[in-house]
Amino acid sequence: MSFSPQYSAPTPRDVSGADAEDLALYREKFRRRLPQSLDELHGSAHGVVALPLHLAWSGMSSYDLDKPRWRMGLYRTVLHEGLHDDLPRYLNQDLLIPLWPVLRTLVGRSVRAVWEDAFPQLASRTRAAT
């Protein structure tokens, strides 16, 4: 599969050759899952959410969104494991934006970079929080 140059992933200076290509492919995996806009994220803001097996394959499957740590755990899981259709179903824009300054420290670099590149309001929210 070929990738458009406009979607080339940034790579750390100390990564070269096959490792850089692997990193670019890994980031592209997350980029393809993104919604067009954060406005599409209309998941629940309160209550208990049960994740399907393809998302919660290695741990908790139900999360109480009214408990901050559980909410953060659900968002971390969905950001890493969620497919394109899962993101709008389980994430909520009104929760994601205020959670982002902390959440970004809990997700991998590739997830963080892809989301902040696609949605500058997340990166600006982080700068405002510091």
Side-chain angles (χ1 to χ4, degrees):
M1 176 186 286
S2 64
F3 296 109
S4 168
Q6 70 188 33
Y7 292 112
S8 63
T11 57
R13 287 186 200 132
D14 60 336
V15 177
S16 61
D19 291 336
E21 185 174 334
D22 288 347
L23 179 59
L25 289 172
Y26 187 64
R27 288 188 177 177
E28 185 61 25
K29 172 182 89 166
F30 292 110
R31 191 172 286 107
R32 280 185 264 138
R33 298 174 180 183
L34 291 174
Q36 292 293 315
S37 164
L38 292 180
D39 294 333
E40 294 178 29
L41 304 179
H42 51 77
S44 297
H46 298 284
V48 176
V49 173
L51 295 177
L53 184 60
H54 75 274
L55 291 175
W57 53 270
S58 69
M60 287 179 54
S61 61
S62 292
Y63 296 84
D64 185 344
L65 294 176
D66 297 314
K67 295 181 179 180
R69 293 182 105 182
W70 288 29
R71 183 183 323 125
M72 199 69 75
L74 177 127
Y75 274 63
R76 182 175 184 250
T77 298
V78 173
L79 288 169
H80 275 278
E81 304 298 333
L83 303 175
H84 180 75
D85 292 341
D86 295 321
L87 301 176
R89 182 175 183 183
Y90 295 106
L91 301 179
N92 182 295
Q93 173 185 354
D94 294 334
L95 294 179
L96 177 67
I97 292 172
L99 288 176
W100 190 256
V102 174
L103 186 59
R104 73 183 302 275
T105 67
L106 302 175
V107 298
R109 281 185 222 155
S110 293
V111 171
R112 179 175 54 242
V114 165
W115 278 80
E116 290 182 350
D117 288 348
F119 307 112
Q121 62 268 48
L122 293 177
S124 65
R125 172 78 181 173
T126 300
R127 286 190 297 276
T130 57

